[in-house]
Amino acid sequence: MSDVTTSLDPRAAAVFTVRTLAIAACYYAAGRLGLLRELVIQDSVVSPIWPPTGVATAALLIYGLGAWPGISLGAFAVILSLTTSPEPSALGLVAGNTAAPVCGYLMLRRVGFRTDLARLRDGLSLVFLGAFGAMLISSGTGAGLLAATTGIGKQNFWALWLAWWVGDAMGVLIVTPVLLLLWRLRLRLPWRWDRWKEAVGLARWKEAVGLALIACCLVPVATRSPASLLFLVYPLVIWAALRFQLPGSMLCVLLASVMATVAATDRAGPFRELNRFEVMLNLQAFNGAMALTALLLSAVITEQHNTRRSVERACQELMEVLEHLTAGESGPGRPERRPREHPPPDLDST
C-alpha cells in the first residue's frame, strides 16, 4: 500500500503544479483583458468589469480550495505587469484578491450551491454571496490600501471603493457562469456540425442563428447610438433565457457587456455627455441588471423544465406499473373472472 501511495505522489504533485500554473495563467490573461478598458475614478484607475474574479471563483468551484495558490500567483503577476518595483502593499492586494473568492466559495459550498445553476437558489446564491457579499473583501482591502498609501479623502475613498466593488462583482456575475457552462459542456458537447444540429434540432438551430444575428446587429447599435437605446438589449436577453436558458442568455449578456464597456470607455453613444462617475454608475447598472435578469430568469425556466420532466417521468413509470399489473391480472396462469350470475326473478311471487 505504501508503494502505491509513493508512486502516486509525484504524479499528484505534477498535476497540482500544472493546474496551479494554468489557473495563474488564466487569471493573468483575464487581468490583462480587463485592463484594456479602464475608468478613472478620483484619480485612480479601475476596471468596469474585472474578469479575474470570475476566473478565480470558477476555479474554486471546479477544483476546490486547492486552486488558491494559482489565484495568488496570478494576482501577483498582474501587479508585476503594472509596476516594475511593487511596494509592500502589493502583498495586501494579493491577499485581498485571494481571500474574496475563497470566502465566496466557502459560503456557496455552505448553502449547497450547484454549478449547473439549474435552481433559483443557485442563481440567488451566486449573486448575493459569491458576487455582492464576497467581493466586499477585495474592494475594501484594495481601496483601504490605496487610501493608506496615497492619502485620498473620505469622499474619494467611498467612490473608489464602490467602483472597485462593482467591478469585482460584475466579473463574478458575468464571467463565472460562462466558465462553469463551458466546463460542464467540455465532454458532452458534440463538436461535429451535423451532430450539433441533430442534438439541438433544426427548428431551434434556426432560431439560435436568428437570435445570434439579431444580437450582433442590434447590440452595437444600442450601445453606440446617442439616443439611449440600451433598453433594446433586454428583450434579447429575455428571449435567450426563455428559449436557450443559461447558455443563450449568458452569451448574450457577455456580448452586450463587452460592447457597453467599450462604448463607455470611449465616451460614445449614451455615455457621451456624462461625467466619469455617471459613466461608471450607468454602465454598472446596465451590466448588473442584465446579468441578474439572465441568471435568475434562466434558473427559473430551467427549474420549471426539470420539474415538468420529473412529473412526466413519474407519470410514465406509473403507466408502466399499471400496464404490468393489468398484464398480471389477465395472465395465462390465472383463471379468468366470470361475472356473477343472478338468479331469475320469481314470477309467482308477483
Side-chain angles (χ1 to χ4, degrees):
M1 187 70 177
S2 59
D3 296 336
V4 175
T5 306
T6 306
S7 62
L8 290 179
D9 283 342
R11 182 178 179 181
V15 171
F16 177 78
T17 302
V18 172
R19 181 182 297 170
T20 299
L21 294 177
I23 294 173
C26 292
Y27 191 102
Y28 176 78
R32 298 303 301 174
L33 184 63
L35 291 173
L36 293 178
R37 294 290 170 172
E38 302 170 342
L39 290 175
V40 179
I41 304 297
Q42 304 298 341
D43 298 328
S44 299
V45 177
V46 294
S47 177
I49 302 175
W50 188 236
T53 57
V55 173
T57 304
L60 288 166
L61 290 173
I62 293 171
Y63 298 112
L65 286 176
W68 76 264
I71 297 172
S72 299
L73 185 60
F76 188 69
V78 172
I79 294 176
L80 287 180
S81 67
L82 298 177
T83 177
T84 55
S85 56
E87 299 179 357
S89 60
L91 297 178
L93 293 176
V94 172
N97 290 334
T98 304
V102 167
C103 291
Y105 163 74
L106 293 176
M107 289 189 293
L108 290 175
R109 191 179 66 173
R110 180 77 176 179
V111 299
F113 177 80
R114 284 167 36 180
T115 57
D116 56 359
L117 292 169
R119 303 175 301 176
L120 180 60
R121 58 178 293 185
D122 297 328
L124 293 174
S125 299
L126 183 64
V127 171
F128 292 103
L129 297 180
F132 293 161
M135 295 305 120
L136 292 172
I137 299 175
S138 58
S139 60
T141 303
L145 287 175
L146 286 180
T149 55
T150 61
I152 60 176
K154 182 178 180 181
Q155 182 179 0
N156 297 340
F157 168 80
W158 289 114
L160 176 62
W161 171 85
L162 179 62
W164 198 311
W165 175 63
V166 175
D168 286 356
M170 289 302 104
V172 175
L173 291 181
I174 296 174
V175 178
T176 298
V178 175
L179 295 179
L180 292 178
L181 177 67
L182 293 177
W183 175 257
R184 292 187 66 245
L185 296 180
R186 71 193 187 282
L187 295 177
R188 64 182 65 178
L189 183 65
W191 291 104
R192 288 176 52 187
W193 181 249
D194 54 345
R195 292 179 60 191
W196 187 84
K197 290 194 298 183
E198 182 181 357
V200 175
L202 183 60
R204 296 195 66 190
W205 171 73
K206 291 181 178 180
E207 184 180 1
V209 172
L211 175 61
L213 292 176
I214 294 175
C216 291
C217 295
L218 183 60
V219 170
V221 174
T223 54
R224 309 293 293 194
S225 174
S228 297
L229 300 178
L230 290 176
F231 62 90
L232 294 178
V233 180
Y234 290 98
L236 293 178
V237 176
I238 296 173
W239 178 13
L242 291 175
R243 297 294 296 163
F244 303 99
Q245 285 79 58
L246 190 65
S249 61
M250 289 312 303
L251 290 178
C252 188
V253 167
L254 183 62
L255 172 64
S257 298
V258 170
M259 296 300 298
T261 302
V262 172
T265 52
D266 290 342
R267 296 298 181 88
F271 307 97
R272 183 176 56 182
E273 298 180 357
L274 304 178
N275 58 39
R276 294 175 178 177
F277 185 77
E278 291 173 343
V279 167
M280 187 271 296
L281 186 62
N282 284 270
L283 176 63
Q284 304 296 24
F286 173 72
N287 289 337
M290 279 198 311
L292 287 174
T293 301
L295 276 173
L296 302 184
L297 184 58
S298 298
V300 170
I301 299 300
T302 303
E303 198 170 22
Q304 289 180 351
H305 287 180
N306 292 337
T307 303
R308 185 180 64 182
R309 282 194 290 267
S310 300
V311 173
E312 291 176 352
R313 192 181 305 113
C315 292
Q316 182 65 29
E317 293 176 356
L318 181 60
M319 289 295 297
E320 292 176 358
V321 170
L322 291 176
E323 291 176 359
H324 179 71
L325 292 176
T326 303
E329 287 182 358
S330 60
R334 292 186 178 222
E336 272 188 40
R337 293 185 179 179
R338 295 184 179 181
R340 179 182 297 177
E341 295 183 359
H342 298 280
D346 189 3
L347 298 178
D348 294 337
S349 63
T350 59

